[in-house]
Amino acid sequence: MTSDILRPGGPLLSGSVYGCLLNVREELERLGDAIYEAPYNGVPTGPVLYVKTPNTHIAAGQPVPIPNDVDQVRVGAALGIVIKTSLTRSNAEQALEAIAGYTLVNDITVPHDSLFRQPLKHKCRDGFCPIGPWLVSASDLPDPATFTVRTYVNDECRHEFRLDQLVRPVATLLAEISDFTSLYPGDLILAGVSPSAPLASVGDVVAIEIDGLGRLESPLVREGEQAA
């Protein structure tokens, strides 16, 4: 159950989970001049969201089932921002006050090239969104821009990036999202995933770490099989 994912500690995750495309500067740099061509026609003027549907949500330590038609997945380490009070057309200061806390999220994705559309086939397979292992209160953490995000495959650090690389910092991101859709208590927002997220396969154990938030670890198993 989604409501059990963040036990113990703090409000329970009970709402929607949104990810944000093109919120890491490296994503825009890789697109280069193509960002000004169709279908993009310029740098996004607001957050580009996608959803991680309820079937994807699993707790820390649970196995991630990899479908039989998938050879590799991207391990998308992300800062998760949990909302405690409703936000509608807010400013950045109001957005900061509405944050219950932070958690780790692994935005597992089938590799693909599409942007600016809902990548449901690639991002919304069963178990493709491990969350946890706990919620850390926003009052107990410094500015998220100082955090470093690390991704491990079989205990080897394969990638890291700092959250000062976000195009829209946490408060700005939430405020701009609230301009076009309200956020509610229990909603979870992924701040952004690096385009250099490493690949992993069945049999690997993947983990993500963020300063002050601990470690979220998940074994990758073939769909229909149990983790050893």
Side-chain angles (χ1 to χ4, degrees):
M1 294 283 294
T2 300
S3 60
D4 293 327
I5 286 175
L6 293 179
R7 290 185 185 274
L12 299 177
L13 173 63
S14 58
S16 301
V17 178
Y18 300 101
C20 188
L21 295 173
L22 301 176
N23 200 40
V24 177
R25 290 192 183 97
E26 186 185 354
E27 292 180 278
L28 295 176
E29 291 169 358
R30 286 195 179 190
L31 283 174
D33 291 339
I35 194 70
Y36 300 102
E37 302 171 359
Y40 312 116
N41 299 318
V43 176
T45 58
V48 181
L49 299 186
Y50 57 91
V51 297
K52 296 293 282 193
T53 49
N55 64 298
T56 67
H57 308 167
I58 60 173
Q62 292 186 349
V64 177
I66 307 302
N68 291 325
D69 61 342
V70 173
D71 294 325
Q72 292 184 307
V73 294
R74 290 207 177 275
V75 184
L79 173 71
I81 310 154
V82 180
I83 303 300
K84 68 178 178 181
T85 56
S86 298
L87 281 175
T88 302
R89 297 184 181 88
S90 67
N91 58 37
E93 182 178 353
Q94 292 167 330
L96 278 179
E97 293 174 352
I99 298 173
Y102 302 102
T103 191
L104 297 163
V105 183
N106 190 346
D107 180 10
I108 295 176
T109 305
V110 178
H112 65 286
D113 296 323
S114 62
L115 292 173
F116 284 95
R117 64 186 62 186
Q118 283 284 332
L120 297 180
K121 180 178 179 180
H122 308 289
K123 288 183 171 290
C124 294
R125 305 292 184 98
D126 292 349
F128 269 30
C129 189
I131 302 169
W134 45 67
L135 179 70
V136 178
S137 173
S139 63
D140 292 334
L141 291 174
D143 180 359
T146 66
F147 296 174
T148 297
V149 183
R150 301 177 183 88
T151 306
Y152 296 83
V153 179
N154 300 324
D155 283 329
E156 177 186 347
C157 185
R158 296 283 183 87
H159 182 62
E160 64 178 53
F161 76 102
R162 284 174 55 91
L163 289 174
D164 60 7
Q165 298 175 25
L166 295 179
V167 176
R168 293 173 175 82
V170 167
T172 303
L173 176 64
L174 297 182
E176 292 193 11
I177 291 172
S178 77
D179 281 343
F180 60 84
T181 186
S182 293
L183 297 174
Y184 298 103
D187 285 351
L188 174 64
I189 313 300
L190 282 58
V193 174
S194 170
S196 298
L199 294 169
S201 305
V202 169
D204 291 334
V205 176
V206 300
I208 64 175
E209 294 179 353
I210 298 179
D211 299 334
L213 292 179
R215 182 180 177 97
L216 169 63
E217 188 169 283
S218 309
L220 305 185
V221 302
R222 183 57 68 193
E223 189 174 56
E225 298 178 359
Q226 295 294 322

